[in-house]
Every structure is written in structure tokens, then in C-alpha cells.
Amino acid sequence: MLDQKVVALLNQQVNKEFYSAYLYLDFSNYYYDQGLDGFGSWYRVQAQEERDHAMLFIQYLQNNGEKITLETIEKPAVALKSAKAVLSEGLKHERYVTELIHTIYAAAYEVKDFRTMQFLDWFVKEQGEEETNADGLVKKFELFGDDPKSLYMLDSELAARTYSAPSLVL
């Protein structure tokens, strides 16, 4: 049986992951509206990943006999002012999600919930990758975003990203 504080945090994370998917769909729509279909596609894949993260948290809770509590998903409130600003918001959001994962991990550590800590290890690693990817996008945009030809090439590069479901064994 899991500690109830940990269960509450895991349930909250389900909602946060679905919010992340919503946010990235908003980003995707922004880029499609701007004619940057590669950026739009990249964030659509990102939204799929976040949805799957939520489902992994749900499966983990269910595997441990815990009740799932679904909450309302807030409408994204990020002002989408420019292509670069959206990328910066993406990096900021990934850092926020990392903090959330660390908070759950700390709560599990406090009660010596090694099973949950092991489950979260994958997310800790994943968040490192997410932050690196988001930071890389910001840096690439800073280098190439003002040049139309380079922006076209970056957009084409991002369009090549494909979706693959996470391979976390629960």
C-alpha cells in the first residue's frame, strides 16, 4: 500500500501531465497557424508523449490498488507572442514539470517508498531529456530563427520527428 501523501501527489501529476499535453497542443496550433508545420508537428508529438506520461501514472496507481482522481484540466494561459517566446515557454514548463517530479520523489523518499522511487527514476531521466531538447530548440532558434532559409531548414528538421510510445515497464 502506498503512502496517501504520495498517492495524492501522483494523482496531481496525472492532471499536470494532461495539462502539459493541452499546453503543447496549444503550441502546436500556434505554429500551424504561423505556417511552421514542422514546429507544429514537433509539439503535436510532444503532446502525445505527455498524454502517455499521464497514462503511465494512472497505470502505476491502478497497479498499486489506488483510486484515480481526475480533475479539470485548465485552459493554457500562456501568451503565445512569437515563435521564439513559445519555445522559451516550453523550456520553462519542462523545468516546472521536473520540479513536480522531484517533489513526488522527495515525498516517496521520506516514507521509504522504494517502489515509487524506482517508478519515478524513468521520469527523472525523461525530464533531463525533455529539458535538454527544449533548451536545444531555444538555442537553435536563437541561432537560425531570424534567417528565413535557416528557419525553413529548422522547421523541416523538426517535421521529421516521429512519435514512439514510452517503453517503461510497470
Side-chain angles (χ1 to χ4, degrees), residues 1 13 34-35 38 48 60-61 67 75-76 89 97 101 108 112 118 130 142 154 162:
M1 184 167 0
Q13 192 62 29
Q34 299 301 311
Q48 289 175 302
Y60 180 75
L61 287 164
K67 183 173 171 46
K75 178 181 177 182
E89 287 295 332
V97 173
I101 298 296
K112 297 181 180 177
Q118 184 179 26
E130 297 287 9
E142 288 172 347
L154 181 56
T162 58

Side-chain angles (χ1 to χ4, degrees), residues 35-67:
L36 294 169
D37 293 359
F39 283 83
S41 176
W42 196 92
Y43 271 108
R44 183 175 288 164
V45 169
Q46 194 66 22
Q48 289 175 302
E49 280 190 8
E50 302 303 336
R51 181 206 60 217
D52 279 353
H53 293 170
M55 298 305 292
L56 288 170
F57 278 98
I58 288 171
Q59 186 66 54
Y60 180 75
L61 287 164
Q62 288 172 335
N63 287 352
N64 284 280
E66 297 295 341
K67 183 173 171 46

Side-chain angles (χ1 to χ4, degrees), residues 64-78:
N64 284 280
E66 297 295 341
K67 183 173 171 46
I68 310 302
T69 306
L70 297 177
E71 301 291 340
T72 302
I73 301 170
E74 294 181 33
K75 178 181 177 182
V78 176

Side-chain angles (χ1 to χ4, degrees), residues 16 24 51 64 78 82 88 93 110 118 133 155 160 163 167:
K16 300 293 186 180
Y24 291 148
R51 181 206 60 217
N64 284 280
V78 176
S82 69
S88 295
H93 184 72
E110 189 176 302
Q118 184 179 26
N133 291 338
D155 190 58
Y163 177 72
S167 59

Side-chain angles (χ1 to χ4, degrees), residues 25-39:
L25 279 176
D26 201 28
F27 288 6
S28 176
N29 292 336
Y30 171 83
Y31 284 119
Y32 279 117
D33 289 347
Q34 299 301 311
L36 294 169
D37 293 359
F39 283 83

